[in-house]
Amino acid sequence: ARSGGSSSSSDSEGSGSEWSRSGSPRRRLLLSLPDFRAEVAMKYVRHGYRLLSRNLFVFATLVGLAAVGVQLLRMTESGEISNLWETAVKTQVQGSMLHTIALSVALAFGVAAYLFARRTPVYLVDFSVLHPPKDWKVSIKELTHLARFRLSKNHKKDVVQSSMDFMLHKIQKNAGVTAEGTYLPPGITDLSQEATLENSRKEAEVVLFTLVEDLLGKTGVKPKDIDILIVNCSLFNPTPSMTAMIVNKFKMRSNIQSYNLSGMGCSAGVIAVNLARDLLQHHKNANALVVSTENITQNFYLGTQKSMLIPNMLFRVGGAASLLSNKRRDYWRAKYQLLHVVRTHKGADDASYNCVFQKEDPDGIVGVKLDKSLMAIAGESLKVNITTLGPLVLPLTEQARFFLNLVQRKVLKLKIKAYIPDFKKAFDHFCIHAGGRGVIDALQENLKLTDDLVRPSRQALFHYGNTSSASIWYELAWSEHEGQVGYGDRVWQIAFGSGFKCNSAVWQALRTIDSQHPAWADP
């Protein structure tokens, strides 16, 4: 990956400290994921190679057709075809020969046409990330004041103080989020207002309309040219839907294909891209507008359960909009081509299902509970995801080492550790969901990533907090803004979400990109 200069603050990469009960600082303990070099499940390896085999079949078929064509050309130049024709005339089988040649050519063209038509390439024309209004910016000092004010309405002073100490000393100091200011909506920060449905809708309108207007302006696409519209927002699902808000505001066509995804957590941005890709396989010569966001207004927890207070110090306003297209002519102006999407859902396991859960606390106050097992579950989900993804993206040298290790363990029964390939050889840029500094630290350690490779994630977390499904787009925007994305570079977006899900999207840059993003010019 290109190192590139960073114009953003480097404070996000400092090591935080955890405070002991006596008030003295002690070394912060790194959250750990399961050891990826432990045994991997063979069913996920097989699934990855099944996906790869489909592409290999296409490649082998095209190579075979090309080889036959080259051989026929050589036979024509050497006169062998002429000799065969003369022989056919003498034996009066020229008609059969013509029929055989015609059928062979038709079959070859039919197979080639099918292979090319079966998977339509999907391009990312451009994308935008939200730069929230400046008056939405709140420092940690201001956040402390408003949190104390909100909590004091329903709880005694000593209970409020205990909750504030936990949020400030345990969470904020180790969260990796700047104390200088991140973005929260007026429904939370304006003490004269409450977290009403109306204020939630106002927040959604600002985020959605700003993003869509900016993206349409960038791409020159008119609202009536949008064929597919997808919006994902986990915790806010009003009626009319958020897609309906956009359709109404921009006066889009009545036959637009619109989809509203809710309740799917921080990895829903990749799910939305996957849905857009699948739809673009069936709707030819079309484009898809995908908007990813999370609504904060009604999701600032006002209770005292520590496991539900954590999101208050992490989740912030943010959003991203992207324009995907399957139009061949868009290849020349698109930034990226979508190569792979791999989705992992561990919801069949009860612990995974319950580790991120929206619920009422004992006092009847709604919030999102984060279970202590979250990091371990995230690690298991990631292990499954990368085991499936590996055969699709890794170079042959890494796959050969992995296969040799597999034979040694499974066939020769040698007692050796499973070989986990080096994903730094497959990707140039890593966009890791900015769920918190512990998540980024753990992934950096387990995937053996350099500081430069995780810098986009740390910068996104530091300046914008956890923007849920939009965080992976803030990270890609940072890489573009710093001029780090070159022609042919591969980008790995990986996100985690409730359910529990781990989803990956792989993009390849179609040109060198140094786009300037307002969100990073003055975060």
Side-chain angles (χ1 to χ4, degrees), residues 262-275:
S262 65
M264 305 197 77
C266 297
S267 67
V270 177
I271 296 173
V273 167
N274 183 58
L275 174 60

Side-chain angles (χ1 to χ4, degrees), residues 53-345:
S53 66
R54 298 172 190 171
N55 296 328
L56 288 178
F57 172 74
V58 174
F59 179 75
T61 303
L62 293 178
V63 169
L65 290 174
V68 172
V70 170
Q71 184 62 32
L72 288 174
L73 182 62
R74 289 179 177 175
M75 291 174 66
T76 301
E77 293 176 347
S78 65
E80 292 182 58
I81 297 295
S82 298
N83 294 336
L84 284 173
W85 179 252
E86 291 176 0
T87 303
V89 171
K90 291 179 181 179
T91 56
Q92 297 182 347
V93 293
Q94 65 269 32
S96 299
M97 184 176 179
L98 286 174
H99 289 153
T100 301
I101 293 174
L103 288 173
S104 299
V105 171
L107 178 62
F109 275 104
V111 171
Y114 169 74
L115 293 177
F116 277 110
R118 65 194 292 267
R119 177 60 68 179
T120 303
V122 174
Y123 306 112
L124 173 58
V125 179
D126 210 338
F127 70 98
S128 294
V129 292
L130 179 72
H131 191 201
K134 278 295 182 183
D135 57 357
W136 287 20
K137 196 167 190 177
V138 180
S139 69
I140 190 63
K141 183 177 180 180
E142 294 168 321
L143 177 60
T144 301
H145 173 67
L146 72 89
R148 189 182 301 276
F149 176 84
R150 300 274 186 198
L151 290 171
S152 297
K153 289 184 175 182
N154 302 312
H155 306 286
K156 295 180 180 180
K157 186 176 181 180
D158 59 332
V159 175
V160 172
Q161 186 58 47
S162 175
S163 298
M164 295 302 301
D165 289 342
F166 175 75
M167 287 192 289
L168 292 174
H169 296 154
K170 290 289 187 179
I171 305 303
Q172 196 278 328
K173 286 190 175 181
N174 296 315
V177 181
T178 179
E180 297 302 316
T182 48
Y183 298 91
L184 286 171
I188 293 175
T189 59
D190 187 343
L191 300 182
S192 66
Q193 299 189 41
E194 297 296 332
T196 62
L197 177 62
E198 180 183 1
N199 282 331
S200 294
R201 194 183 297 275
K202 287 179 180 178
E203 177 195 343
E205 288 174 349
V206 171
V207 173
L208 298 177
F209 299 166
T210 302
L211 284 169
V212 173
E213 186 173 2
D214 183 60
L215 183 60
L216 294 180
K218 276 185 180 181
T219 58
V221 174
K222 297 178 181 179
K224 291 188 179 295
D225 293 334
I226 299 298
D227 303 293
I228 299 166
L229 174 62
I230 302 171
V231 174
N232 69 268
C233 181
S234 188
L235 295 174
F236 182 57
N237 188 27
T239 300
S241 68
M242 298 174 82
T243 53
M245 291 184 196
I246 296 175
V247 172
N248 176 261
K249 170 67 176 179
F250 294 95
K251 309 306 177 188
M252 294 178 172
R253 301 198 317 259
S254 60
N255 64 341
I256 190 170
Q257 302 291 306
S258 62
Y259 300 85
N260 207 92
L261 307 181
S262 65
M264 305 197 77
C266 297
S267 67
V270 177
I271 296 173
V273 167
N274 183 58
L275 174 60
R277 182 194 66 173
D278 290 347
L279 291 169
L280 288 172
Q281 299 306 309
H282 298 281
H283 297 272
K284 304 303 180 183
N285 200 39
N287 55 43
L289 173 60
V290 179
V291 184
S292 299
T293 188
E294 188 54 84
N295 195 278
I296 308 298
T297 298
Q298 290 184 311
N299 295 294
F300 191 85
Y301 176 62
L302 299 178
T304 59
Q305 299 295 306
K306 291 183 178 180
S307 61
M308 302 170 80
L309 283 168
I310 297 173
N312 286 359
M313 308 308 294
L314 286 174
F315 283 88
R316 297 293 183 265
V317 171
S322 55
L323 181 66
L324 304 181
S325 172
N326 61 13
K327 300 176 182 179
R328 297 285 181 177
R329 65 175 181 270
D330 280 335
Y331 170 86
W332 302 104
R333 66 168 183 152
K335 286 184 173 182
Y336 304 92
Q337 181 174 342
L338 181 61
L339 300 183
H340 308 288
V341 176
V342 174
R343 294 171 56 182
T344 300
H345 201 312

Side-chain angles (χ1 to χ4, degrees), residues 357-373:
F357 208 91
Q358 186 182 28
K359 58 183 290 187
E360 294 175 328
D361 69 8
D363 297 321
I365 301 173
V366 176
V368 177
K369 179 184 178 181
L370 304 182
D371 194 81
K372 292 181 179 180
S373 64

Side-chain angles (χ1 to χ4, degrees), residues 30-66:
L30 286 176
L31 294 172
S32 60
L33 295 177
D35 183 5
F36 293 156
R37 296 183 183 276
E39 186 67 26
V40 294
M42 281 301 299
K43 61 180 179 180
Y44 302 118
V45 177
R46 288 195 294 269
H47 180 59
Y49 278 105
R50 277 198 300 271
L51 295 175
L52 177 65
S53 66
R54 298 172 190 171
N55 296 328
L56 288 178
F57 172 74
V58 174
F59 179 75
T61 303
L62 293 178
V63 169
L65 290 174

